Amino acid sequence: MGEEVKGEFEPRIIGFTCNWCTYAAADLAGTARMKYPPNIRLIRQMCSGRVDPLFVLKVFLRGADGVFIGGCHPGECHYMTGNLSARRRYSMMKKLLESVGIDPKRLRMEWISASEGIKFSDTVKEFTAQIKGLGPGPFRHIETEGKEQK
Amino acid sequence: MVKGDMYLAQASDEEILKQGESGGAVTALLKFALDSGVVDAVLGVKKRDGNNRYDAVLDLITDPEKVIDCAGSLHCVSLNIARNVKEYLGGAKQMKIAVLCKPCDARAIIEIAKRKQINRDNLLLIGLNCTGTLPPVVAKEMLISEYEVDPNEVVMEDIEGGELIVTLADGTKIAKDLLELEKKGYGRRDNCRRCNVSIPTLADIACGKWGVKEGEKKTFTEVCSDKGAEFIDNAIKTGVIKVEPPGEDAIEERKRKDREAIELSNKCEAEDLKELREISLDDRLAYWLHMFDRCIKCFSCRDACPICYCKKCFLEPDRGYVKGGEVPPDRMFHLTRLAHDGDSCVNCGQCQDACPAEIPLTRLYLMLNIKLSPMFDYVSGMDVEQKPPLIAAKDEEASIDDIDIFLVKGEAGEVVPQQ
Ligand SMILES: Cc1cc2nc3c(=O)[nH]c(=O)nc-3n(C[C@H](O)[C@H](O)[C@H](O)COP(=O)(O)OP(=O)(O)OC[C@H]3O[C@@H](n4cnc5c(N)ncnc54)[C@H](O)[C@@H]3O)c2cc1C
Ligand code: SF4
Ligand code: SF4
Ligand code: FES
């Protein structure tokens, strides 16, 4: 993962994005040269419904400062209800994080269609600023698989 | 009889009436269920060796004459009835079983049935009202140090009006304030303090002592399903139980006691979770990580959990989340279980009872479950037709754009699991 710029905290955000919408929107934002912070690393999924809550947990435990999930708008999922299940899981995860003591604001989900490049870049800007405000995630000091180092 | 009917019932058989905790109706009904072939077996709870009430065992009974061995209520118990039905009785897929169940047992059975690992159709759920069970070893200690009695002299326990009342062989009754005992680390199992379903109306019939006049040997029985109604009708026809309608006052009294039990559990819940709810997120995380790091990875919590449903468990090393051979395990161990079971947890307390590291697991699960319940209009284990919330997305949700719809609903209020 990227090196920190001295002095300022640079969040590491993992974005699970649906191939058919948000991932394409990110692509669009890129080709249209819309600027957005480089803090987000995208992991392409075939559907937001593929984002297992365990992915989110694992990513947090391995040091991510924020997790973003992007899916097709309701009614537009290529697999009909994948995004509806994703919304339910996301809602559960918000409460799970809160229950164990991880700030739920570190998890965010949005519907971003393939044509919404601007929404994608705005969301990433906003979310990055929010995570900057929250500071490093609770497992930030973990650098490698399962090993803790300070 | 129809669903919702209530009456006071009594076993016709003298011996059963004598042995029964209340009116012996439960024992009489179970015997009838075997005699008439409604079920192939009864899963009852009895004292080990017929005399050790601190070592209750499950008994799969096929001989109608043996049902009476289970008569009476055992309070110093944390038998895992649901998990036993799933694991050791093949999920009741091959035989019809009448299962004796407290509300938590019944709710756990319903949750497993939703996941097709128990066949609900083959079960006759005989529900018993419940306001708490006690951890047996600690209970014995309590009887010696607080009640100053020989545990072997005890013939009955009862929780009533905020007191734990113990009856000795010579008829002496000793009552002590339940919450005072619990302050000293005695009393009910930790989860029972916060349990808020006392009358198992989700079973086929719900039986209890509430609503029965002091000194009378009767069982207050509520019919809770069509199956229960048909069963009771036939039992009455053959004369194995005698029934009379309860008066309005009896029904009121039962309602009042149920309400009081719920108030007490809400009070305990508020007390037990207060600190965890009030501390900062960082402190809460530090608390749970500290707890998780006590774990010796014995897998007891997983093996005890009636809801744990994966055929191939995600905690095993080959699933790629929790490495093998590491103690304490990767925190994914605990968070995976929480993610898989939190929405459906019935607060039965089996995980915590099983945990040698004494991690207060039920507090974590309950804290999450209480949040999820209003979000998804879901009370775990109440309705076998209601799908677990994470797989229950409805087509109409496709026309709702709001990403926070469930979170907003959750803020609006908490659901009390009462029908
Ligand atoms: C732990 C416990 C707490 C209870 N608390 C209340 C209460 O607060 N209010 C109320 O109205 N009623 C309560 N009851 C129900 C009451 O004690 C009687 O069981 C009920 O009235 C039926 O009486 P009976 O004479 O018809 O049952 P019996 O004919 O005596 O039959 C009792 C049956 O209960 C089963 N049983 C005994 N112990 C357990 C156990 N730990 N778990 C599962 N099954 C068991 C036995 O297998 C037996 O078949 C409680 C019961 C238990 C077991
Ligand atoms: S969890 Fe509730 S139903 Fe189960 S034993 Fe405790 S008080 Fe009874
Ligand atoms: S029962 Fe306790 S010690 Fe055993 S695996 Fe579960 S949490 Fe760890
Ligand atoms: S295909 Fe994009 S969310 Fe399902």
Side-chain angles (χ1 to χ4, degrees), chain A residues 84-150:
Chain A
L84 305 182
S85 289
R87 173 163 56 188
R88 283 174 172 256
R89 289 187 204 128
Y90 155 77
S91 311
M92 182 279 284
M93 283 303 291
K94 282 274 212 189
K95 296 297 168 192
L96 185 152
L97 293 174
E98 192 185 325
S99 301
V100 290
I102 299 173
D103 196 326
K105 291 203 265 322
R106 294 186 183 276
L107 173 64
R108 174 155 177 182
M109 180 167 176
E110 282 296 338
W111 315 125
I112 302 177
S113 73
S115 61
E116 292 178 310
I118 297 176
K119 183 172 179 185
F120 178 80
S121 78
D122 285 351
T123 303
V124 174
K125 274 183 217 158
E126 249 178 69
F127 191 45
T128 306
Q130 181 167 37
I131 300 292
K132 272 195 178 162
L134 291 174
F139 301 96
R140 173 70 186 224
H141 57 285
I142 294 171
E143 294 291 335
T144 49
E145 270 280 303
K147 293 271 181 300
E148 291 193 23
Q149 351 176 304
K150 265 278 177 210

Side-chain angles (χ1 to χ4, degrees), chain B residues 267-369:
Chain B
K267 185 181 149 191
C268 291
E269 179 216 293
E271 221 170 83
D272 295 348
L273 302 186
K274 183 172 190 287
E275 203 182 332
L276 274 174
R277 280 178 174 139
E278 286 176 356
I279 54 179
S280 69
L281 286 168
D282 287 346
D283 287 349
R284 193 185 291 164
L285 183 63
Y287 173 82
W288 284 118
L289 294 184
H290 169 72
M291 284 296 169
F292 293 165
D293 288 351
R294 279 174 19 183
C295 174
I296 59 166
K297 204 187 182 191
C298 65
F299 286 99
S300 302
C301 51
R302 175 198 68 179
D303 295 344
C305 179
I307 318 291
C308 261
Y309 48 83
C310 299
K311 290 277 181 205
K312 209 165 169 326
C313 177
F314 276 80
L315 307 181
E316 298 292 346
D318 58 346
R319 298 306 297 259
Y321 287 100
V322 183
K323 261 197 207 152
E326 269 184 11
V327 171
D330 193 303
R331 278 86 176 240
M332 275 306 281
F333 185 96
H334 302 279
L335 297 185
T336 297
R337 282 215 344 102
L338 189 59
H340 280 188
D341 303 325
D343 62 335
S344 299
C345 175
V346 297
N347 184 43
C348 68
Q350 295 295 339
C351 54
Q352 193 169 325
D353 282 345
C355 180
E358 302 191 331
I359 303 175
L361 294 163
T362 58
R363 298 188 179 210
L364 178 60
Y365 283 75
L366 184 64
M367 210 157 126
L368 174 57
N369 193 265

